[in-house]
Amino acid sequence: MRIFRFVVRRLLQLIPVLLGVVVLAFLLVRVLPGDPVRSILGPNASAEDAEAARVRFGLDKSLWQQFLDYLGGLVTGDFGTSIQSGNSVGSEMALRIGPTLELVVIAVTIALVVATVLGVWSARRANRLGDHSVRMFALAGNSVPEFWLGLVLVLVGYSILGWFPAPNGRVDPDTNLTPITGADLVDAVLTANGPAFASAAAYLALPVLTLVVGVVAPLLRSVRASALEVLHSESYAAAQAHGLRGRTLHYGYLMRATLVRLPSLAALVFGTAIGSTVLVEYVYSWQGFGQWALRGLLYRDYPVVQASVLVIALCYVLVFLIADVVHAILDPRVRL
Amino acid sequence: MARSHRSGASSPALSRRGVLQLGGSVALLLATGACAADSGNKPKDGASGGPAAKTLRIAVSSYLSSWDQDFVGFDLTALMLYKNVFPYLIDYGVTTASGSQILDTQNVTPTFAESFQPDAEQKVWTLKLRRGVKFASGNEMKAADVKWSKDRAFAAQANVAGVYRTIGLTSADQVKVVDDYTVEFHQAFPSALTRQIQAISLYVFDSVEAKKHATASDPWAKEWFAKNPPTGGYYNVTKANQGQEIELSANTDYPGPDPAKTPTIRISVVPAASNQRLQLQAGDVDIALGISQRDIQDLKKTPGIKVISAPSNRQVAIQMSVTAAPFNDVNIRKALAYAVPYEQIISNVYGGDARAAKSTVPLDMPGHDDNGYPYAHDIDKAKAAMAAAGRSSLDSELVFESDNEEQQKIAVQVQSEAAKAGIRLKLTPLDPATLGERRTKKNIPLQITSGQLWVDDIEYMLATSFVKGANLNYSNYSNPEIEQIYEKSHTTVDTAARNALWKRVQEILAADVPWVVICQPNFNLPVRESVAGWVQPMDGLARLRYLSASA
């Protein structure tokens, strides 16, 4: 009940935060130099044509009126119309969020598991060969740019070995997967399409690996440091001295105490991973949210930029909310 | 997507054991590789397994932004697709030049239409439709479809409405339905451009189908057209997986000459040029439309791949703002024209694969004059021109597209040589939106431009680039005599008379030098050796119906 009240309170606090994001995104995109209308007109369009396009997209109205229209649309769930494509921004976004979330959620989940297992394992073997190897891996993961790593993985995994499909999408079109959520693995399960599931998994392997290497490093270092702290603590030494079973020591004392910091860090890493998808999606032709938002920004497609900023902000605050709740569950000292 | 059977040239070079030695990250790769292995073993139904392949695979750099040709942005992938999937009632023929097949801009012929002819005054053009031509919906293509399509184009006030102005079509009333199979276009004046302008504008929507999706707030069914591929062109769109792949099937009901040769074309989206190259080498795609110039040079030596090369009318230039200092002084413009290292750019940027400019009018365009651009790299003459302007040095900005490697290289080389003549250039890469805005405001002193005209005619070139208010006239150039010639050219349809006008135009441009014309790069396209039938388009928009692939 306490957690429920906490969640409701935090959700209510989101309203002013998101309103602030809406205002800032609306203003900042208009401060940027660049004319969205010129980019959609052919080379023969005249000033009159440009004016007609401005009227079509409501860009001839005062800034206040545009903002009020935008806000009114948001209240009814209307994100506006893309200047580049003429499509509803909401429907375009719905197509692209699923693929990106699938990629990020899988990558962050794998990274969390790998970081936890390797971090604790490494701490228990501190300053031995295994520990040095894990630390080297973390250092490399921190240093390698995702874009470069992606290209190398394509070269090795697709071109040299031929084990992975060509980097040209998310699922083999011949499997005739019916899109529902946009997340292909989920859609394959929902439609019971086995070949599509296998194909989507194959297409996911390299982009997920690219993201995992990028995000696992900070998690790994944090888990190792936390585990070392616990292993050197008096409470752990006391528990050991009382002759508790290894399993009890490991799960009851070491793991629980080690993982306390992880939710907040995982939330941060989740945000970083969403940012990293822009380049990862480019390398793997993923056509997800990142590429869509980037194109929107390049062409000053105002409704697209506004919607993408709002959704990223929403993802961030929700993930941090989840992290706080998980933190409270792991650490009873936390008051909600 | 199904993987290909690999050719020898690109078969795995490392054993599994060898790969294990690559280190930790590759070990992870090995762990996840098993689940992907199956997808690599599917036989390709493309360029193998028969005398003529049924499927051709093409890689492009981006997915199209919309299927609605009237309301689309300037999106080259979309525009190329439209040429192949919308029914264009008339189209260019094909001719041979220097051993290459090219679209014949002097020969516009009916395709879906039966005929397109002018009256004696060349002001009223009559379009006659073939009977029995059907859209994929089963609806017959009729005059009402043409009228609805043109009404929509005028309402959109964008692409077609803009280009129609050049031939005196400015309102929907000028398009009249005579009967079910006849439409008249009443131009305000006769024009030698009519056939070419209509060749790029006379595409038709299935209006019966469209009206089912129109609403009071969306009378032109924009929302529906943006998402639903058109039908009835040389190809029909069989599948469109958003962001990933588009499958085209040859329209077997196409009634005109030169039907599509390959039954199925699969167009996959591969944004990274390096990945396009890898897929081409692996045989997973047959044609790569987004490979970088540097990769193309390497691919020329790669087994299994050939690079189709053809002279193109794409022109690379530096437009100078003639209305603002310092380039409002013709001597300063001449100084820059002498300072640019033309041959060095052709050699270093294009590997010699470009033609030197002889005129502001592109080489090969009817009416081109070899004396139209009398400037060559000569630093002494550049200094002399600076002295004639009373300057020993000046500072300016040179703007180019931020994601354009070719323009960046050119900018660096121009900067280096111009400095020797006292012209110090600050290089400014700009993203598309900022570039568009600054072009509208006409506040760029120098900018690198690159492009080819969709209509191979000097009148069209003047309309788009050299008369007051023209949209590609970033120089803000205006010359009273050229304005007069342009007006006169509207009603001049005799070829000899037009050529006389064009000769004078080039003399004026040579004297006024509003552009530094750098060169005309050749068109290069890397394809698998099995690909044949490429026809070089003068507008850069590939015509897929001529393409085929052998086993």
Side-chain angles (χ1 to χ4, degrees):
Chain A
M1 197 60 196
R2 214 171 42 157
I3 286 185
F4 177 73
R5 273 205 308 273
F6 169 76
V7 170
V8 171
R9 202 168 61 236
R10 284 288 296 272
L11 284 175
L12 287 174
Q13 285 170 0
L14 290 188
I15 295 170
V17 172
L18 291 178
L19 198 60
V21 169
V22 165
V23 175
L24 272 180
F26 181 86
L27 290 176
L28 288 179
V29 70
R30 280 162 176 78
V31 168
L32 288 174
D35 182 358
V37 162
R38 273 287 153 198
S39 69
I40 62 162
L41 297 174
N44 293 296
S46 65
E48 292 78 38
D49 298 333
E51 195 46 42
R54 282 199 175 82
V55 171
R56 203 158 70 229
F57 293 105
L59 298 173
D60 58 322
K61 296 178 183 171
S62 70
L63 208 59
W64 263 114
Q65 193 57 51
Q66 287 183 46
F67 180 68
L68 290 177
D69 289 351
Y70 171 51
L71 212 55
L74 281 184
V75 173
T76 58
D78 178 8
F79 287 91
T81 303
S82 163
I83 296 172
Q84 275 291 307
S85 68
N87 284 339
S88 143
V89 169
S91 64
E92 283 198 349
M93 192 161 57
L95 277 173
R96 287 165 171 89
I97 280 188
T100 299
L101 276 185
E102 182 173 56
L103 184 63
V104 173
V105 168
I106 292 175
V108 171
T109 307
I110 292 174
L112 282 172
V113 172
V114 170
T116 306
V117 173
L118 275 184
V120 172
W121 183 84
S122 173
R124 295 178 73 169
R125 286 158 186 76
N127 297 319
R128 285 154 63 183
L129 181 64
D131 179 40
H132 290 313
S133 308
V134 168
R135 287 163 67 193
M136 287 290 286
F137 170 67
L139 187 69
N142 258 338
S143 320
V144 170
E146 269 113 1
F147 177 73
W148 178 84
L149 179 65
L151 289 176
V152 169
L153 289 179
V154 168
L155 184 68
V156 176
Y158 159 70
S159 185
I160 296 176
L161 297 172
W163 291 0
F164 294 89
N168 62 356
R170 306 190 305 263
V171 67
D172 185 342
D174 291 340
T175 59
N176 293 319
L177 176 64
T178 309
I180 298 170
T181 64
D184 292 326
L185 276 184
V186 177
D187 291 347
V189 171
L190 292 176
T191 56
N193 187 334
F197 186 86
S199 169
Y203 274 92
L204 267 166
L206 289 183
V208 162
L209 181 56
T210 310
L211 269 182
V212 165
V213 172
V215 299
V216 83
L219 292 171
L220 191 54
R221 290 169 71 91
S222 170
V223 171
R224 181 182 172 276
S226 292
L228 273 178
E229 208 175 288
V230 176
L231 287 169
H232 294 146
S233 69
E234 288 179 359
S235 58
Y236 188 82
Q240 239 178 349
H242 277 85
L244 292 179
R245 285 188 310 145
R247 191 180 169 81
T248 311
L249 266 179
H250 185 73
Y251 291 104
Y253 286 78
L254 178 59
M255 288 301 279
R256 190 174 177 120
T258 298
L259 295 183
V260 162
R261 286 188 207 159
L262 201 57
S264 314
L265 192 62
L268 266 179
V269 163
F270 187 87
T272 312
I274 286 184
S276 302
T277 56
V278 172
L279 290 176
V280 173
E281 284 180 6
Y282 174 78
V283 171
Y284 293 101
S285 314
W286 204 253
Q287 299 293 324
F289 185 77
Q291 284 298 293
W292 179 70
L294 180 67
R295 185 178 163 84
L297 188 62
L298 274 178
Y299 290 94
R300 307 292 185 270
D301 196 338
Y302 296 157
V304 169
V305 178
Q306 288 161 190
S308 49
V309 171
L310 183 61
V311 165
I312 288 172
L314 188 66
C315 282
Y316 248 103
V317 290
L318 287 179
V319 167
F320 270 97
L321 174 62
I322 294 166
D324 287 349
V325 172
V326 174
H327 190 178
I329 292 168
L330 285 172
D331 188 352
R333 292 170 300 173
V334 174
R335 288 172 63 108
L336 294 177
Chain B
M1 172 177 291
R3 293 287 309 284
S4 68
H5 177 73
R6 301 295 187 82
S7 67
S10 55
S11 57
L14 294 174
S15 67
R16 183 174 291 223
R17 186 174 176 179
V19 171
L20 280 166
Q21 294 165 348
L22 286 176
S25 61
V26 179
L28 277 170
L29 195 78
L30 289 167
T32 50
C35 73
D38 280 348
S39 69
N41 296 330
K42 286 185 184 176
K44 181 183 175 186
D45 57 348
S48 61
K54 290 181 178 167
T55 302
L56 201 63
R57 293 165 189 273
I58 301 175
V60 296
S61 299
S62 62
Y63 195 78
L64 79 174
S65 54
S66 167
W67 285 106
D68 189 342
Q69 181 155 9
D70 279 340
F71 290 93
V72 78
F74 199 71
D75 173 343
L76 283 174
T77 303
L79 295 168
M80 184 271 281
L81 274 166
Y82 298 158
K83 282 284 171 201
N84 297 286
V85 300
F86 271 95
Y88 277 78
L89 298 179
I90 59 174
D91 206 344
Y92 295 112
V94 177
T95 185
T96 302
S98 311
S100 302
Q101 280 197 302
I102 61 167
L103 283 185
D104 185 357
T105 57
Q106 302 307 302
N107 173 25
V108 176
T109 58
T111 50
F112 286 88
E114 190 177 278
S115 64
F116 182 59
Q117 292 298 331
D119 66 353
E121 281 186 86
Q122 302 213 23
K123 275 177 75 176
V124 178
W125 288 72
T126 303
L127 178 76
K128 285 205 174 287
L129 297 179
R130 293 177 198 262
R131 288 164 193 259
V133 176
K134 291 194 172 163
F135 294 102
S137 63
N139 299 325
E140 189 181 0
M141 186 187 292
K142 290 192 173 173
D145 294 306
V146 179
K147 173 67 179 160
W148 189 86
S149 302
K150 295 305 111 184
D151 288 354
R152 189 177 198 267
F154 281 113
Q157 286 185 275
N159 305 333
V160 169
V163 80
Y164 267 173
R165 273 194 285 270
T166 57
I167 56 171
L169 289 174
T170 50
S171 87
D173 302 342
Q174 291 171 277
V175 183
K176 298 181 194 299
V177 172
V178 177
D179 60 42
D180 268 0
Y181 299 97
T182 311
V183 182
E184 286 178 354
F185 292 80
H186 292 254
Q187 296 179 186
F189 48 81
S191 171
L193 290 183
T194 299
R195 279 196 177 87
Q196 292 201 58
I197 292 289
Q198 290 286 22
I200 63 173
S201 308
L202 256 178
Y203 54 87
V204 179
F205 293 104
D206 180 348
S207 68
V208 175
E209 188 64 24
K211 283 173 187 169
K212 290 180 192 166
H213 305 278
T215 61
S217 61
D218 183 11
W220 299 110
K222 278 161 40 183
E223 203 162 313
W224 186 78
F225 273 118
K227 292 177 193 159
N228 291 279
T231 60
Y234 304 120
Y235 282 91
N236 288 322
V237 181
T238 322
K239 267 194 258 180
N241 287 49
Q242 167 68 36
Q244 183 171 352
E245 190 186 79
I246 293 159
E247 186 180 290
L248 309 179
S249 297
N251 180 1
T252 49
D253 293 330
Y254 166 61
D258 291 325
K261 284 197 167 59
T262 303
T264 307
I265 291 182
R266 301 182 78 151
I267 296 173
S268 32
V269 179
V270 184
S274 58
N275 286 345
Q276 284 201 16
R277 174 180 170 165
L278 290 177
Q279 289 188 48
L280 186 69
Q281 285 178 287
D284 278 347
V285 297
D286 301 301
I287 297 172
L289 288 173
I291 284 189
S292 72
Q293 192 67 31
R294 191 174 46 212
D295 282 335
I296 287 172
Q297 296 303 326
D298 292 346
L299 285 169
K300 284 181 176 171
K301 301 164 215 148
T302 305
I305 292 171
K306 64 182 176 189
V307 175
I308 294 169
S309 195
S312 118
N313 61 354
R314 181 165 78 92
Q315 208 177 34
V316 180
I318 299 175
Q319 290 205 31
M320 297 176 273
S321 175
V322 301
T323 50
F327 295 99
N328 56 350
D329 184 331
V330 69
N331 286 310
I332 299 289
R333 300 202 292 273
K334 284 180 180 170
L336 186 67
Y338 283 121
V340 167
Y342 303 93
E343 291 304 324
Q344 185 186 315
I345 290 171
I346 288 173
S347 166
N348 295 352
V349 179
Y350 299 103
D353 215 2
R355 293 182 291 169
K358 308 278 187 192
S359 169
T360 315
V361 171
L363 299 158
D364 309 329
M365 185 176 274
H368 164 89
D369 182 352
D370 263 358
N371 300 314
Y373 189 74
Y375 303 97
H377 182 225
D378 187 331
I379 295 297
D380 290 335
K381 283 188 178 171
K383 285 178 179 168
M386 286 284 282
R391 304 280 293 258
S392 59
S393 68
L394 63 90
D395 292 279
S396 181
E397 183 189 25
L398 175 59
V399 166
F400 57 94
E401 294 165 11
S402 58
D403 59 347
N404 192 321
E405 190 190 348
E406 173 188 328
Q407 290 192 1
Q408 185 183 22
K409 285 182 182 170
I410 291 171
V412 169
Q413 297 189 42
V414 170
Q415 181 191 42
S416 166
E417 287 301 302
K420 293 176 185 169
I423 303 171
R424 291 184 295 263
L425 299 176
K426 179 186 160 222
L427 305 188
T428 310
L430 292 182
D431 64 273
T434 311
L435 184 61
E437 186 186 36
R438 288 196 59 188
R439 280 177 171 170
T440 307
K441 291 179 176 168
K442 309 264 184 202
N443 66 2
I444 306 177
L446 293 177
Q447 59 183 299
I448 300 180
T449 60
S450 168
Q452 56 196 130
L453 294 168
W454 284 20
V455 174
D456 200 23
D457 188 282
I458 297 176
E459 182 185 345
Y460 184 80
M461 183 182 171
L462 295 180
T464 54
S465 308
F466 289 106
V467 295
K468 204 180 281 181
N471 283 87
L472 300 179
N473 186 359
Y474 307 131
S475 301
N476 225 8
Y477 174 73
S478 174
N479 178 296
E481 194 179 346
I482 284 194
E483 298 287 338
Q484 280 174 7
I485 291 173
Y486 173 60
E487 289 301 321
K488 193 174 177 187
S489 71
H490 295 333
T491 49
T492 308
V493 290
D494 173 66
T495 304
R498 285 171 78 80
N499 282 341
L501 296 178
W502 306 149
K503 189 167 174 53
R504 180 62 193 143
V505 162
Q506 288 166 90
E507 284 168 7
I508 297 167
L509 291 175
D512 285 352
V513 57
W515 292 13
V516 169
V517 193
I518 296 173
C519 63
Q520 272 179 240
N522 292 338
F523 174 82
N524 285 314
L525 181 70
V527 300
R528 298 291 305 173
E529 265 179 351
S530 55
V531 174
W534 176 261
V535 173
Q536 176 64 21
M538 72 291 127
D539 50 15
L541 306 175
R543 305 311 203 266
L544 306 178
R545 61 178 164 145
Y546 302 109
L547 289 170
S548 64
S550 57

